Amino acid sequence: MNEVLNKPIQYVKGVGPKRANTLKKINIFTVGELLYHFPREFEDRTSICSANALEHGQTATVLGKVVHAREIKPRPKMTIIKLTIDDGHGVFSAVWFNQRYIVKQYPPGTTLLVTGKVDKSYRGETQLHVNDCEMVRKPDQAKRGGRIVPIYPLTEGISQKYIRVVMENALKEAELLDEFIPEAILTKYRLPGLKQAIKFIHQPQSDDDIKQAQRRFIFEELFLLQLALVKRKSRTKIYLKNHKYNCGDGENVKRLLALLPFKPTTDQEKVWQEIRQDLESPYPMNRLLEGDVGSGKTLVSAMMLAKAVDSGLQGALMAPTEILSEQHYLGLTKWLEPLGINIALLTSSIKKSQREKILQDIQQGKIDVVIGTHALIQDTINFKQLGAMVVDEQHRFGVKQRLALQSKGNQPDVLVMTATPIPRTLSLTVYGDLDISIIYTLPPGRKPVRTYHVTERAINDVYRLIHKEVKKGRQAYIVCPLVEESETLDVQAAVDLAEQLSKKVLTDLQVGLLHGRMKAEDKENVMGSFRSGSIDVMVSTTVIEVGVDVPNATVMVILDANRFGLAQLHQLRGRVGRGENQSFCILVADPKNEEGKQRMTAMVNSTDGFTLAEEDLRLRGPGEFFGVRQSGLPEFKMANIIRDRRAMECARQEAEAIMEGDPKLQLPENRALAKQLKTKFKENENFLYIG
Ligand code: ADP
Ligand code: MG
């Protein structure tokens, strides 16, 4: 067993209490953590230079004999040590600063392998500023020449030399390590075993050794993570829920569909089947519904709520903002009230007495479906019999909050909806514990939004377009620049712009204003006026980002668009193109850098959220992508979700196969794996539910 991995670092020869404390600063507490402290790069000293071929500025390794030693003191407190070295082809000076022990350590006659930067600027002398030096004792070592030297991430008080020595001692302990990845998997992907990979990474003999080891550790990292996620996912299949749904669509869903002015799309049907099956299963549902903006996720959630009520259960829908809660309330009321379903809206602007009545009605089961923001629903409500829980716009909602939600009450069936398409590799990690349903196609008859990128100089053309559209009876949004550092500045910019527009440029139009600092009641009023058409142009900060649905709006102007990420731009654009009329999205931006230009081009060229998500991931990297960082996922040491997406898929497959055959990892052949999993995620136990 790999007990040695968990032993404290002092167990390794050469590590005393003081050094152990220093190593803790770089998160090395155990032998295992030391062995998994991988080099950040490698210096290739396998090729040895001739002293007569050294070029100024190059980093080189030379093998030669010390013929002379000197100490020079150019000024107090500074000593330069120069060893004259002859390699049979030529002579040069190896130079150290303030390391006087060198003279004693390497007396004339010593054979040295020195590596450093060549400097020929000093009086025609060839100098080598040494950063690494090894004494060569055995002739065969000399013949083999140098080697590939690992360069480790360090902290103060720990030198490369020290860590290499300690690592060498730790590697002796590694001899005892057992493999924990099943043999069949190693063979299938041609990965080196654990012991070998550890040796390869710390003492490589060739570039190929390094590559092999890296492949192994990348796979290992992804495989353990996927195992943990699959394990956590299967955990939801352990507890039975204590509510039950009637079988089939039920009266409510049938009547809802009959009353709709349109038919569900094939994707909506397919997704509904998946959800229905989950609801009717004895285990709580844990499903993510992914679909581009406007793909019709709301209908699917309405069907789920309708089915819950049909079965005598209650439903809840949580949205990230009050505006969205209100909008969902309006939409769902239109669909569900005709079925005799009682719906309530909870916002912070509802008066206290009324609020208490609503809470009481929910508790007594007089209200079937409640809609509100996360905060409102999570903290204050007691349900009589909650069955279905819908969470809209997931990406504002981290893994941790999701966990809090699931632990509330009687294991409701949870459907999380996101309009932010997530590249598959990323969803395997961020949502690796959820089942996923995807709506790929938009309802028929939608005209893709025409997107243009213009510079500030063309702003008057943009206002002309707004005029033209409003004359046709349409409406427009203008989204103001985002000033990250200060919401106050954001708001001021929006206020100023709205005033300027209504006084100067759009004098004949009704201009409204919406921003995050307004009272909930005022926001609702303004949105109401926009919805009813009495406001033509809505100037706003990004509060309208998600979910706002006013089909009559056909123009989306985004000022300083280069300040937004692709995902956010796509979200904003999704506010238009929701009706039959041709819509426009105008990105006003003078991007200064290449990445900004690429984002604008991507937006103009694609209206597909999945394509844009991939592009966004490529341009910004996974760290910046929708707060992956806040999602509570462990950070990778070697793997990179973008580069290693194929390895991630393989790791997922293998993890699923293993958990399928041995859900609790109890079989003898999986015991080592179970142990390793525990070691790896010991600090993340809550997140990963290991054990
Ligand atoms: P999102 O997935 O972004 O939440 P919505 O649910 O708001 O999208 O749907 C966008 C619009 O499309 C709504 O006005 C909705 O009524 C309409 N819609 C939904 N499903 C269909 C369908 N099958 N056919 C036509 N229109 C639909
Ligand atoms: Mg929506």
Side-chain angles (χ1 to χ4, degrees):
M1 274 302 145
N2 291 341
E3 242 71 277
V4 60
L5 291 178
N6 289 324
K7 290 217 164 113
I9 187 72
Q10 271 173 262
Y11 182 78
V12 177
K13 205 173 136 222
V15 185
K18 204 170 143 218
R19 283 287 171 61
N21 269 333
T22 314
L23 285 168
K24 280 175 195 164
K25 276 197 249 159
I26 41 177
N27 283 322
I28 301 177
F29 295 83
T30 63
V31 178
E33 279 154 356
L34 179 64
L35 288 171
Y36 276 76
H37 187 64
F38 298 135
R40 67 179 150 77
E41 59 186 330
F42 297 87
E43 225 170 73
D44 189 354
R45 298 183 192 157
T46 47
S47 56
I48 291 180
C49 273
S50 290
N52 59 358
L54 294 175
E55 279 174 34
H56 181 76
Q58 131 191 67
T59 297
T61 301
V62 192
L63 179 76
K65 243 189 192 124
V66 179
V67 290
H68 181 66
R70 263 181 307 162
E71 267 183 36
I72 304 155
K73 270 192 150 317
R75 52 188 144 91
K77 289 195 178 167
M78 182 176 189
T79 312
I80 298 176
I81 293 92
K82 281 192 184 181
L83 299 187
T84 308
I85 293 183
D86 186 344
D87 78 338
H89 302 283
V91 176
F92 66 97
S93 299
V95 179
W96 285 260
F97 293 93
N98 296 332
Q99 297 179 49
R100 302 180 58 185
Y101 64 90
I102 293 285
V103 178
K104 263 196 199 132
Q105 199 169 351
Y106 307 130
T110 316
T111 303
L112 288 183
L113 190 64
V114 282
T115 304
K117 198 162 179 185
V118 180
D119 183 356
K120 290 193 166 187
S121 64
Y122 184 71
R123 294 186 187 170
E125 186 182 324
T126 302
Q127 296 190 342
L128 194 78
H129 293 271
V130 179
N131 54 37
D132 209 274
C133 173
E134 274 179 77
M135 204 182 327
V136 179
R137 289 201 183 86
K138 294 182 212 136
D140 72 316
Q141 194 180 346
K143 228 180 280 157
R144 181 160 59 82
R147 55 191 177 93
I148 299 174
V149 177
I151 311 289
Y152 291 96
L154 296 177
T155 183
E156 211 177 298
I158 300 277
S159 67
Q160 291 294 348
K161 267 223 160 96
Y162 173 76
I163 212 157
R164 274 179 221 147
V165 170
V166 174
M167 196 63 84
E168 191 151 344
N169 294 332
L171 283 173
K172 287 181 197 130
E173 308 298 334
E175 289 297 321
L176 302 169
L177 288 180
D178 288 328
E179 184 56 67
F180 53 85
I181 299 184
E183 196 57 46
I185 295 182
L186 293 181
T187 314
K188 183 167 169 189
Y189 299 103
R190 283 175 287 123
L191 300 171
L194 177 59
K195 269 188 274 192
Q196 182 148 53
I198 293 250
K199 193 148 174 66
F200 276 174
I201 200 79
H202 292 295
Q203 298 184 336
Q205 301 297 318
S206 65
D207 285 348
D208 192 53
D209 284 1
I210 301 172
K211 282 206 191 84
Q212 299 252 14
Q214 284 170 338
R215 279 183 54 237
R216 145 101 201 189
F217 289 120
I218 287 168
F219 185 86
E220 177 183 315
E221 212 167 21
L222 299 174
F223 179 58
L224 289 174
L225 174 68
Q226 288 304 335
L227 264 177
L229 288 168
V230 174
K231 191 158 192 258
R232 186 172 127 194
K233 184 170 163 184
S234 69
R235 169 188 159 271
T236 56
K237 302 279 181 286
I238 295 171
Y239 302 102
L240 295 172
K241 54 190 178 196
N242 55 14
H243 57 268
K244 204 168 174 295
Y245 290 80
N246 300 334
C247 282
D249 271 2
E251 272 310 297
N252 277 344
V253 174
K254 282 187 198 138
R255 282 172 55 211
L256 166 63
L257 293 180
L259 288 172
L260 281 181
F262 50 74
K263 274 170 92 108
T265 61
T266 320
D267 279 355
Q268 281 171 324
E269 289 278 6
K270 180 199 68 187
V271 163
W272 169 240
Q273 293 308 325
E274 290 165 355
I275 292 171
R276 221 185 72 182
Q277 225 167 36
D278 281 2
L279 296 180
E280 289 170 16
S281 111
Y283 307 107
M285 175 168 85
N286 219 341
R287 187 170 281 279
L288 177 74
L289 174 55
E290 240 182 285
D292 211 341
V293 278
S295 61
K297 296 183 293 295
T298 317
L299 174 61
V300 176
S301 67
M303 291 164 83
M304 171 166 160
L305 295 168
K307 184 173 161 81
V309 177
D310 206 58
S311 309
L313 304 169
Q314 288 169 300
L317 186 147
M318 316 202 308
T321 65
E322 303 231 329
I323 290 182
L324 286 175
S325 304
E326 159 124 349
Q327 187 179 284
H328 271 304
Y329 175 70
L330 294 175
L332 290 174
T333 305
K334 203 170 68 194
W335 283 343
L336 299 181
E337 227 164 47
L339 314 176
I341 293 176
N342 283 325
I343 305 191
L345 172 69
L346 269 187
T347 66
S348 57
S349 48
I350 287 176
K351 287 189 195 66
K352 198 162 173 244
S353 55
Q354 204 185 343
R355 197 181 144 72
E356 266 156 22
K357 173 90 172 71
I358 293 175
L359 290 176
Q360 199 177 25
D361 286 351
I362 294 171
Q363 191 154 19
Q364 292 173 355
K366 288 185 197 154
I367 286 173
D368 305 306
V369 172
V370 59
I371 293 162
T373 60
H374 303 141
L376 285 170
I377 291 188
Q378 257 177 298
D379 303 337
T380 47
I381 305 187
N382 289 309
F383 289 89
K384 183 163 181 246
Q385 177 69 292
L386 179 64
M389 170 84 92
V390 180
V391 185
D392 196 12
E393 308 301 353
Q394 158 73 18
H395 73 268
R396 301 227 164 156
F397 206 61
V399 173
K400 282 180 197 132
Q401 288 145 296
R402 205 167 70 218
L403 285 179
L405 181 74
Q406 282 157 1
S407 61
K408 186 190 165 81
N410 302 327
Q411 305 273 353
D413 293 284
V414 178
L415 180 72
V416 174
M417 305 197 292
T418 175
T420 311
I422 301 145
R424 186 176 151 74
T425 5
L426 207 55
S427 61
L428 277 184
T429 352
V430 182
Y431 302 125
D433 59 328
L434 296 177
D435 292 303
I436 298 182
S437 292
I438 302 178
I439 302 181
Y440 287 102
T441 47
L442 302 184
R446 295 277 170 82
K447 293 193 184 75
V449 178
R450 274 193 212 145
T451 305
Y452 302 92
H453 169 209
V454 302
T455 61
E456 312 255 354
R457 291 217 313 254
I459 193 74
N460 284 327
D461 295 342
V462 177
Y463 294 138
R464 252 192 300 274
L465 173 72
I466 292 177
H467 258 120
K468 214 171 104 193
E469 284 294 300
V470 173
K471 289 259 154 63
K472 286 197 244 164
R474 316 275 175 266
Q475 291 162 284
Y477 297 98
I478 302 178
V479 177
C480 281
L482 177 86
V483 187
E484 293 265 359
E485 304 83 55
S486 153
E487 200 197 343
T488 317
L489 290 181
D490 268 8
V491 168
Q492 197 52 47
V495 173
D496 290 350
L497 182 70
E499 194 176 303
Q500 198 196 340
L501 288 179
S502 55
K503 282 198 181 135
K504 290 183 188 148
V505 192
L506 304 174
T507 40
D508 49 339
L509 307 185
Q510 287 304 316
V511 178
L513 173 66
L514 188 67
H515 62 70
R517 286 279 172 87
M518 283 161 65
K519 281 207 226 95
E521 207 178 314
D522 296 339
K523 279 192 221 166
E524 280 162 29
N525 284 338
V526 173
M527 264 324 281
S529 310
F530 191 61
R531 234 177 252 125
S532 70
S534 54
I535 288 177
D536 303 310
V537 179
M538 178 74 96
V539 174
S540 129
T541 55
T542 50
V543 289
I544 58 151
E545 187 193 335
V546 277
V548 169
D549 186 26
V550 179
N552 192 47
T554 54
V555 184
M556 167 61 68
V557 177
I558 306 173
L559 300 177
D560 270 358
N562 51 312
R563 300 215 194 164
F564 297 91
L566 266 182
Q568 214 176 358
L569 288 171
H570 182 62
Q571 286 292 321
L572 287 169
R573 178 169 58 185
R575 300 309 112 217
V576 294
R578 299 174 84 85
E580 296 100 63
N581 304 301
Q582 178 63 56
S583 292
F584 306 89
C585 173
I586 317 292
L587 309 167
V588 184
D590 297 308
K592 300 278 180 299
N593 59 15
E594 199 45 42
E595 192 259 4
K597 282 178 202 153
Q598 285 185 28
R599 252 182 295 140
M600 297 306 117
T601 311
M603 280 294 293
V604 171
N605 288 342
S606 177
T607 51
D608 178 63
F610 282 92
T611 310
L612 288 169
E614 294 279 351
E615 183 72 6
D616 203 24
L617 185 58
R618 193 180 68 75
L619 287 175
R620 289 196 298 166
E624 299 303 315
F625 195 87
F626 312 127
V628 175
R629 210 168 270 156
Q630 308 138 35
S631 65
L633 281 176
E635 277 190 24
F636 296 111
K637 275 202 158 134
M638 252 196 204
N640 171 315
I641 337 189
I642 304 176
R643 185 194 59 200
D644 303 322
R645 46 181 72 198
R646 278 197 48 208
M648 179 84 88
E649 300 264 354
C650 297
R652 177 72 176 197
Q653 267 175 28
E654 301 301 339
E656 277 172 354
I658 287 193
M659 295 299 289
E660 175 107 28
D662 182 14
K664 292 192 166 162
L665 292 183
Q666 283 169 328
L667 293 178
E669 65 262 34
N670 291 332
R671 224 168 266 161
L673 191 56
K675 260 222 151 106
Q676 188 68 21
L677 210 52
K678 228 173 188 165
T679 305
K680 168 112 183 171
F681 293 113
K682 60 177 187 267
E683 273 152 37
N684 269 310
E685 221 158 335
N686 280 341
F687 167 60
L688 292 160
Y689 288 101
I690 307 299

